[in-house]
Amino acid sequence: MNRFTSKVLCLLTLTLPTVCNWAHAAACAVPSIGYATIQAAINDPGCSPINVAAGTFNESLSINRTLTLSGSGANTILNAPSNSAAISLATGANNVVLQNFALKANGGNGIALTGGSISNLTISGVAASGTDNQNESGLFVGTTATITTLNVSNSSFNDFGYGWYFAKAVSADASNVSNVTANGLDIIGNAFKGLYIEKLTNASFTSSRFNDNGLSPSVFNSRVNGGIDINLKAGAYQNLSFNNVEIVGNAVSGTDGTVQLCPGTGGFCQGFGIWLKARSDPAAYNTFPATLTGVSITNSLISNNQRGVLVGDLAASAPNVPFFFPGPSNVTITNNRIINNVPTFVSVPTMAFPQVKTPNSNMPLFGGVIVYTAAAATATINITRNDLSGNAGGTFPTFVYGSVSGWGAFNDPAANAATGILPSGCNFWGATTGAGGVAGGGGTATSPQVDFSAPLVTANLNGVCGADPASAFPTVPTLSAALLGALLMLMIAAAHFAAQRATPSIGRRKTPG
């Protein structure tokens, strides 16, 4: 029913003009005589904004035009039918604003663009939730779909299979999700992963939480449950920023009172807080490789995950032939608390458990920051002014380096030999004596090929760098040879002058008169 017909009905039934939206000709109210459902208002091309009152609306919406859909807050609830997307977007849905309502999925996606291309999507004040079904994604972008400019604020995507899932075909397809800003975003309690991202460029996440994701052992491939999985495919990507975010409690077990076994079917062996990868490994991804340059993780808390931060990966180009990912490159990890990331499952004693990741093993090492990139990329990774204390490997056998079972920072020497030193000076390792392991201090261990110089001696990330890793005392300043020489000459001259002043003077003898 169009707005003209609804106005006629309003006149005939003496319905108040405010209900019929006469005051703002372009606005439509739901529910009203003209629009009993939200979809009815969407189908009228003259309706925008569409103002939805408090109430529960059992609908699955389809949007293919510009509009603003505005609820009345948490009491406006869009309840999707089983196995259907709550909101499906299609080509033509440019400059769409979705704001101020709750959304409940029941086996389908929350907001989905399965194909086509749209621009300028804004999501604000939307509380989306699912049923922990692995087929649900809070925000889903299909393998060939494109979103150019996505703004999300003060919204949540909780209790889905994936909080966000941006899929990408491994082909010449050029689809992407670009120019993304997310502020005040909650991605919490999703069964498999918080963010699972196969395409993304020019994106900024600030003041957001990615907590308690990947806690379900029953989802597909739970070994790689995690918080944020940047697993880019088939394209060139750049500029991903995470500032003032929380990445806490992801891919850990025990919250339901159970103990997960790993290796096995239920453990989160490869679990992580955040994992940065651009896939180019043979043979599935090297025909259409991905690259990623420019990642920053700053001012954030990354704690109590199965692992903290993983950068790159190690695969096999042939049996027992290692392939270290050539990226990401230009990664900055600074001013973060990357602490207490410790495995929470128990290894099965009768099963082989690798001491170190090999080309044929899917088991990354454990710790705060783990790097598996080729030397050229490793040299562009900067890890500084972080708290890396309390990261460990739990109850597992000791790894090949040192006598510890977890790392504050690990850089695989097989990939980097003598050239790929991981730049990671001026971090706090949990002790005044600096990093442990090969560094020789009392703090969280570091592996070979890691720059552990000039550590912070306290958890104050704005403190002075430069304590000797083997000593709790600051480095003594040194003077240049030229300055020392000048001081020596000044001292000699001063001594000579003092000696002259101390010698009694001899007066002339007077001539007798």
Tab-separated table of all heavy atoms in Angstrom, residues 7-17 20 22 33:
chain	number	residue	atom	x	y	z
A	7	LYS	N	-3.027	7.751	3.265
A	7	LYS	CA	-3.570	9.043	3.695
A	7	LYS	C	-5.087	9.078	3.507
A	7	LYS	O	-5.812	9.643	4.339
A	7	LYS	CB	-2.912	10.177	2.910
A	7	LYS	CG	-1.471	10.428	3.329
A	7	LYS	CD	-0.880	11.582	2.547
A	7	LYS	CE	0.536	11.861	2.977
A	7	LYS	NZ	1.142	12.983	2.250
A	8	VAL	N	-5.569	8.500	2.417
A	8	VAL	CA	-7.014	8.441	2.199
A	8	VAL	C	-7.671	7.664	3.325
A	8	VAL	O	-8.706	8.057	3.885
A	8	VAL	CB	-7.341	7.818	0.832
A	8	VAL	CG1	-8.834	7.562	0.706
A	8	VAL	CG2	-6.857	8.728	-0.289
A	9	LEU	N	-7.054	6.519	3.683
A	9	LEU	CA	-7.613	5.724	4.770
A	9	LEU	C	-7.586	6.502	6.081
A	9	LEU	O	-8.495	6.401	6.908
A	9	LEU	CB	-6.834	4.419	4.918
A	9	LEU	CG	-7.147	3.349	3.874
A	9	LEU	CD1	-6.199	2.173	4.036
A	9	LEU	CD2	-8.589	2.888	4.005
A	10	CYS	N	-6.538	7.299	6.265
A	10	CYS	CA	-6.469	8.097	7.477
A	10	CYS	C	-7.625	9.096	7.542
A	10	CYS	O	-8.222	9.316	8.593
A	10	CYS	CB	-5.130	8.842	7.553
A	10	CYS	SG	-3.749	7.756	7.929
A	11	LEU	N	-7.934	9.719	6.395
A	11	LEU	CA	-9.048	10.669	6.360
A	11	LEU	C	-10.361	9.965	6.644
A	11	LEU	O	-11.224	10.476	7.387
A	11	LEU	CB	-9.107	11.358	4.999
A	11	LEU	CG	-8.023	12.417	4.736
A	11	LEU	CD1	-8.077	12.836	3.268
A	11	LEU	CD2	-8.270	13.627	5.633
A	12	LEU	N	-10.550	8.799	6.035
A	12	LEU	CA	-11.812	8.093	6.206
A	12	LEU	C	-11.993	7.600	7.627
A	12	LEU	O	-13.115	7.514	8.140
A	12	LEU	CB	-11.881	6.911	5.229
A	12	LEU	CG	-11.959	7.294	3.736
A	12	LEU	CD1	-11.911	6.052	2.867
A	12	LEU	CD2	-13.254	8.080	3.457
A	13	THR	N	-10.897	7.233	8.276
A	13	THR	CA	-11.009	6.667	9.623
A	13	THR	C	-10.679	7.673	10.706
A	13	THR	O	-10.674	7.333	11.881
A	13	THR	CB	-10.060	5.465	9.759
A	13	THR	OG1	-8.724	5.929	9.527
A	13	THR	CG2	-10.403	4.380	8.763
A	14	LEU	N	-10.386	8.947	10.273
A	14	LEU	CA	-10.055	10.012	11.217
A	14	LEU	C	-8.845	9.650	12.074
A	14	LEU	O	-8.756	9.987	13.246
A	14	LEU	CB	-11.256	10.326	12.122
A	14	LEU	CG	-12.508	10.830	11.384
A	14	LEU	CD1	-13.627	11.089	12.379
A	14	LEU	CD2	-12.196	12.103	10.591
A	15	THR	N	-7.905	8.882	11.457
A	15	THR	CA	-6.668	8.539	12.166
A	15	THR	C	-5.843	9.796	12.348
A	15	THR	O	-5.799	10.659	11.479
A	15	THR	CB	-5.856	7.513	11.354
A	15	THR	OG1	-6.718	6.393	11.096
A	15	THR	CG2	-4.636	7.061	12.124
A	16	LEU	N	-5.191	9.929	13.473
A	16	LEU	CA	-4.394	11.109	13.752
A	16	LEU	C	-3.310	11.284	12.706
A	16	LEU	O	-2.665	10.316	12.296
A	16	LEU	CB	-3.756	11.004	15.138
A	16	LEU	CG	-4.739	11.096	16.316
A	16	LEU	CD1	-3.994	10.837	17.606
A	16	LEU	CD2	-5.402	12.452	16.328
A	17	PRO	N	-3.056	12.528	12.279
A	17	PRO	CA	-2.033	12.770	11.274
A	17	PRO	C	-0.663	12.282	11.695
A	17	PRO	O	0.126	11.858	10.861
A	17	PRO	CB	-2.051	14.293	11.115
A	17	PRO	CG	-3.417	14.699	11.566
A	17	PRO	CD	-3.805	13.757	12.625
A	20	CYS	N	-0.078	8.864	10.592
A	20	CYS	CA	0.089	8.729	9.144
A	20	CYS	C	1.316	9.459	8.626
A	20	CYS	O	1.574	9.448	7.422
A	20	CYS	CB	-1.151	9.270	8.432
A	20	CYS	SG	-2.643	8.343	8.831
A	22	TRP	N	1.917	12.706	8.294
A	22	TRP	CA	1.682	13.857	7.421
A	22	TRP	C	2.686	14.967	7.700
A	22	TRP	O	2.996	15.772	6.843
A	22	TRP	CB	0.275	14.381	7.642
A	22	TRP	CG	-0.784	13.444	7.148
A	22	TRP	CD1	-0.625	12.216	6.623
A	22	TRP	CD2	-2.184	13.705	7.158
A	22	TRP	NE1	-1.825	11.663	6.291
A	22	TRP	CE2	-2.817	12.559	6.608
A	22	TRP	CE3	-2.982	14.772	7.565
A	22	TRP	CZ2	-4.174	12.460	6.459
A	22	TRP	CZ3	-4.349	14.670	7.409
A	22	TRP	CH2	-4.942	13.523	6.867
A	33	ILE	N	-1.559	2.286	9.684
A	33	ILE	CA	-2.558	1.716	8.770
A	33	ILE	C	-1.942	1.439	7.403
A	33	ILE	O	-2.207	0.420	6.773
A	33	ILE	CB	-3.765	2.664	8.648
A	33	ILE	CG1	-4.570	2.628	9.941
A	33	ILE	CG2	-4.648	2.270	7.467
A	33	ILE	CD1	-5.785	3.512	9.913
